[in-house]
């Protein structure tokens, strides 16, 4: 019998991993090693060899990845691919919870709260508890609750943990356990789950209901988990339970790319996987198909500095490629200009597209100077991690209506739209409703539905009655109409479309267009015949609730991509710039307290390096604005950890013992070097400094009479020689060749110079 065609494109190790369908399997997949292809063909091979597609569970990192994989599997095995349970942990578990919700006391139409909903609820609780909202900030409180849930610590356990309570006391937030308890109670009462609840409640379902566990253990006879290094303890426990009967579990990941500990992910899941399955089959995908040999070797030299890792040696047959450029800038603004100029020149010289370039950074705040520089050169760009379309106010308003129609007890949705568009229900009335709901242990919907029973609400009774009747009328149609028809009816009947259409300001027009675009998206969802989900309103709301930034579409894709390194994971670009490589920024100052934290920062840099296919450029600034003050900064230790043979220092040496041009010096011993080469070599011979020493007693002079050839000194750039003067009625600008920083053109009116 001839070998299936889909196996022909695999290398020896990839093929072995695909063919090993039985028992526990771990695939260690180095960066760019074709792990998606292996996962795809492994699933296709299971189906081709007789495994029922309904018995396969595949968990991916993003919804986008699962859709692409499903399409590729379908091209091999046909429509059977549509039966696979495939998606992110959250989307697959949400599907299970819709079926089994009543076992754990939830309605099947439960709402999924996004982070804004959760923060809003926490703000409300903090206010009700009369706590200081500057101490109990929603982001911090939500992070503590999330971390607890990811470690299977429920509210009733949290408040009994002396260790957790002691930690909260030391930070001055000793009431977090009370907020957590109330937050959990209010979510349950509202029939709502946040993202962490989708995991925690799935574990509770499998742990507390043996019949449910048995059902899904025998349903999912073959389980595959992508990006296993990024799983948290809760995910690990769920997978372990589901796989315990057949043990046909395959995990795919790379410990060198484990970068999400702040979300609760633990690298120990992949490092210790063999402890759970002693008869484990391990396959290492070590051939990189993405990057040049220089980039692959540079990444290897960096990650070798980590002690906690699985042994592997990534290699490639790709071309050697150019060396990794390292730029030094004086400020973050200059760094942005250098990067933008490099992109501009590269595009012009090599006829490349904007989409061939990505700029990565450690924190979102670094994008400002980069955006300004790109705009000045008219280079279009897209920022990942900016405000999602679904986070815009007008979009969330209409979605809140849709949510309330599905789940009347969704309090965050109710609070958002009960008086939008305005219907005369004021803040005071709603505060009274909140108090009554708390005192009577009812939901806000139950209170406003029976408002006539409460004299304190007398003035608002007709308005509440009209609102309740309107929502109920929408709810009747949701069972007979598809999601688009229901949404269009709501947007018209509530006057939401009319209200926005009457606002003819630019902002108003944009809001109206966003609502129209949302309706278009719902229409597309309804008419998408490749999407196996139902076309009802509930299915649509679940679909968008689980979207991540990586799932966003952009009609105009020819843009430079700007994103944090965390957001770049799983992506690749021909040309990558990694900016802000400075101590206390990257590695982050918060990571310097322990080896494990520092090693995660190093893995993060490894991820950044391995996004690049053809060229990689690193940059750092010797000073950066922080809190309005220009502060000095040192180059990141990570630059120094890459073997020097792979680096090309573009401005000057980062390390004392490095001289990228020493080979030119040797070649020039028997010949007379050009003046420009002499100048470059001379500059390399000068004492190496990470930045010029600060001139604390510097006093600028009036530079009247400045002339070409004059020796001058600048407070920040140090000493240099005037090479060119420009200006119609006397010099206005001076080009100065500084010893340490090369040529700079300064406006004399503002330049702080003095004669040497």
């Amino acid at each position: 019998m001839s070998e299936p065609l889909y196996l022909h494109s695999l290398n020896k190790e990839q093929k072995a991993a695909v063919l090993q369908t039985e028992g526990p399997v771990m695939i260690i997949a180095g960066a760019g090693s074709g792990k998606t292809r292996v996962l795809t063909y492994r699933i296709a091979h299971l189906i081709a060899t007789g495994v029922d597609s309904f018995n396969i569970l595949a968990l991916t990192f993003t919804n986008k990845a699962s859709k692409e994989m499903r399409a590729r599997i379908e091209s091999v095995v046909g429509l059977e691919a549509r039966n696979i349970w495939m998606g992110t942990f959250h989307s697959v578990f949400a599907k299970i919870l819709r079926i089994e919700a009543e076992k754990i006391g939830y309605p099947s139409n439960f709402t999924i709260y996004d982070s804004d909903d959760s923060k809003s609820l926490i703000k409300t609780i903090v206010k009700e508890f009369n706590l200081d909202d500057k101490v109990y900030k929603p982001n911090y409180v939500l992070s503590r609750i999330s971390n607890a849930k990811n470690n299977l610590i429920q509210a009733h356990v949290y408040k009994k943990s002396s260790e957790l309570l002691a930690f909260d006391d030391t930070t001055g937030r000793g009431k977090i356990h009370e907020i957590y308890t109330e937050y959990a109670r209010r979510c349950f009462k509202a029939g709502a789950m946040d993202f962490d609840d989708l995991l925690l409640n799935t574990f509770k379902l499998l742990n507390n209901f043996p019949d449910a566990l048995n059902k899904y253990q025998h349903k999912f006879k073959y389980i595959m988990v992508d990006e296993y290094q990024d799983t948290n303890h809760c995910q690990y426990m769920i997978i372990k339970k589901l796989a315990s009967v057949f043990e046909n579990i395959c995990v795919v990941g790379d410990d060198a790319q484990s970068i999400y500990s702040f979300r609760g992910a633990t690298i120990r899941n992949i490092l210790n996987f063999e402890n759970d399955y002693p008869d484990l089959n391990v396959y290492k995908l070590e051939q990189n198909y993405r990057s040049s040999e220089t980039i692959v070797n540079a990444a290897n030299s960096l990650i070798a500095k980590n002690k906690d890792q699985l042994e592997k040696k990534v290699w490639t047959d790709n071309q050697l490629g150019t060396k990794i450029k390292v730029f030094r800038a004086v400020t973050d603004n200059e760094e942005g200009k250098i990067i933008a100029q490099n992109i501009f020149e590269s595009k012009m010289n090599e006829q490349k597209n904007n989409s061939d370039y990505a700029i990565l950074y450690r924190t979102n705040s670094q994008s400002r100077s980069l955006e300004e520089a790109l705009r000045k050169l008219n280079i279009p760009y897209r920022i990942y991690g900016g405000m999602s379309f679904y986070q815009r106010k007008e979009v969330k308003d209409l979605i809140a209506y849709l949510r309330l129609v599905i789940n009347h007890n969704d309090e965050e949705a109710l609070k958002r739209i009960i008086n939008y568009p305005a219907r005369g229900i004021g803040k005071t009335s709603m505060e009274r409703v909140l108090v009554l709901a708390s005192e009577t242990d009812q939901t806000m919907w139950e209170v406003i539905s029976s408002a006539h029973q409460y004299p304190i609400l007398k003035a608002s009774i007709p308005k509440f009655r009209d609102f309740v009747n309107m929502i109920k009328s929408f709810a009747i149609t949701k069972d007979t109409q598809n999601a688009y028809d229901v949404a269009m009816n709501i947007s018209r009947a509530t006057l939401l479309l009319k209200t926005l259409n009457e606002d003819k300001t630019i902002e108003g027009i944009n809001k109206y267009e966003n609502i129209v675009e949302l309706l278009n998206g719902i229409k597309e969802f309804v008419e998408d015949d490749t999407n196996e989900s139902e076309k009802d309103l509930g299915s649509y709301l679940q679909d968008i609730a689980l979207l991540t930034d990586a799932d966003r579409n952009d009609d105009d894709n020819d843009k430079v991509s700007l994103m944090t390194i965390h957001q770049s994971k799983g992506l690749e670009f021909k040309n990558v710039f990694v900016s802000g490589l400075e101590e206390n920024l990257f590695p982050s100052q918060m990571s310097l307290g322990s080896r494990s934290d520092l090693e995660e920062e190093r893995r993060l840099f490894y991820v950044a390096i391995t996004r690049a296919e053809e060229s990689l450029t690193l940059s750092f600034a010797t000073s950066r604005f922080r809190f309005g003050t220009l502060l000095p900064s040192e180059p990141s230790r990570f630059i120094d950890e890459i073997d020097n043979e792979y680096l090309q220092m573009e401005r000057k040496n980062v390390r004392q013992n490095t001289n990228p041009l020493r080979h030119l010096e040797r070649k020039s011993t028997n010949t007379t070097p050009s003046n420009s080469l002499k100048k470059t070599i001379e500059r390399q011979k000068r004492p190496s400094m990470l930045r010029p020493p600060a001139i604390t007693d510097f006093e600028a002079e009036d530079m009247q009479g400045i002339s070409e050839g004059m020796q001058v000194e600048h407070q920040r750039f140090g000493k240099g020689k005037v090479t060119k003067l420009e200006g119609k009625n006397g010099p206005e600008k001076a080009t100065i060749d500084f010893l340490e920083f090369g040529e700079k053109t300064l406006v004399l009116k503002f330049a702080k110079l003095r004669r040497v």
Side-chain angles (χ1 to χ4, degrees), residues 425-459:
I425 300 174
K427 184 179 177 182
T428 302
S429 295
M430 290 311 297
E431 286 176 349
R432 288 170 178 168
V433 169
L434 270 169
V435 170
L436 285 167
S438 178
E439 290 177 348
T440 60
D441 196 25
Q442 296 184 91
T443 64
M444 293 175 68
W445 174 265
E446 289 169 334
V447 171
I448 66 171
S449 296
S450 55
H452 59 279
Q453 297 180 12
Y454 305 105
I456 196 173
L457 299 178
K458 183 178 180 181

Side-chain angles (χ1 to χ4, degrees), residues 331-602:
T331 65
D332 47 350
N333 283 336
E334 186 187 50
E335 181 185 38
K337 291 174 185 175
I338 291 171
I339 291 173
Q341 190 65 39
N342 268 267
I343 292 174
F344 182 84
E345 292 174 0
S346 174
K347 275 179 55 187
M348 295 302 104
N349 295 336
E350 302 169 44
Q351 300 300 302
K352 292 187 175 180
N353 298 317
N354 294 309
S355 56
D356 292 333
Y357 300 88
I359 308 173
L360 311 181
Y361 34 80
R362 182 63 182 83
T363 64
N364 276 310
S365 61
Q366 291 170 249
S367 71
R368 180 199 55 78
S369 58
L370 299 165
E371 289 185 72
E372 289 178 2
L374 291 170
R375 279 200 299 267
K376 286 177 182 176
L377 292 179
N378 293 317
I379 299 174
Y381 62 89
R382 171 193 172 186
I383 294 185
Y384 283 66
M387 180 181 285
S388 159
F389 174 80
Y390 295 99
Q391 294 301 314
R392 293 184 169 100
K393 179 189 179 300
E394 60 277 10
V395 173
K396 286 181 74 72
D397 288 338
L398 179 51
I399 289 174
Y401 271 106
L402 306 183
R403 280 170 40 178
L404 194 62
V405 167
I406 292 292
N407 175 12
H408 297 339
N409 291 329
D410 184 343
E411 295 197 350
E412 292 307 309
L414 175 63
K415 287 190 292 184
R416 185 177 191 94
I417 48 85
I418 194 165
N419 196 42
Y420 182 77
R423 51 180 61 91
I425 300 174
K427 184 179 177 182
T428 302
S429 295
M430 290 311 297
E431 286 176 349
R432 288 170 178 168
V433 169
L434 270 169
V435 170
L436 285 167
S438 178
E439 290 177 348
T440 60
D441 196 25
Q442 296 184 91
T443 64
M444 293 175 68
W445 174 265
E446 289 169 334
V447 171
I448 66 171
S449 296
S450 55
H452 59 279
Q453 297 180 12
Y454 305 105
I456 196 173
L457 299 178
K458 183 178 180 181
S460 301
I461 289 174
K463 297 162 189 171
F464 284 141
R465 182 178 59 243
D466 290 346
F467 179 79
V468 167
N469 289 339
M470 179 180 69
I471 298 299
K472 284 181 176 178
S473 70
F474 296 150
I476 293 171
T477 65
K478 74 175 172 59
D479 296 324
T480 57
Q481 297 180 350
N482 64 39
Y484 174 75
D485 292 335
V486 177
M488 180 57 79
N489 179 33
I490 290 172
S491 58
R492 286 173 174 163
T494 60
L495 304 181
L496 194 60
L497 271 176
K498 182 176 183 294
T499 301
L500 291 174
N501 195 34
E502 289 173 349
D503 184 351
K504 299 303 181 184
T505 64
I506 293 176
E507 185 182 17
I509 292 169
N510 286 338
K511 288 181 177 181
Y512 177 79
E513 289 175 348
N514 285 336
I515 290 294
V516 172
E517 181 58 30
L518 176 64
L519 292 168
N520 291 341
I522 301 174
K523 184 74 169 177
E524 186 178 341
F525 170 83
V526 167
E527 296 181 352
D528 182 5
D529 59 5
T530 67
N531 191 332
E532 288 297 296
S533 33
E534 297 294 325
K535 306 306 178 185
D536 62 283
L537 189 58
S539 298
Y540 170 74
L541 288 174
Q542 175 164 311
D543 196 61
I544 63 168
L546 297 170
L547 284 176
T548 67
D549 194 57
D551 299 315
R552 287 167 52 188
N553 291 319
D554 194 329
D555 293 335
D556 180 7
N557 287 319
D558 190 27
K559 296 178 180 179
V560 174
S561 295
L562 273 67
M563 67 189 80
T564 66
I565 303 167
H566 282 100
Q567 289 157 340
S568 75
K569 190 156 176 296
L571 304 177
E572 55 188 48
F573 303 91
K574 289 182 180 177
N575 311 283
V576 171
F577 293 80
V578 186
S579 63
L581 276 160
E582 297 144 33
E583 286 292 299
N584 298 322
L585 180 57
F586 195 17
S588 163
Q589 187 172 15
M590 295 177 68
S591 72
L592 302 180
S594 70
R595 176 176 296 281
S596 62
D597 289 345
L598 182 59
E599 290 200 351
E600 175 152 334
E601 286 287 292
R602 191 176 287 114

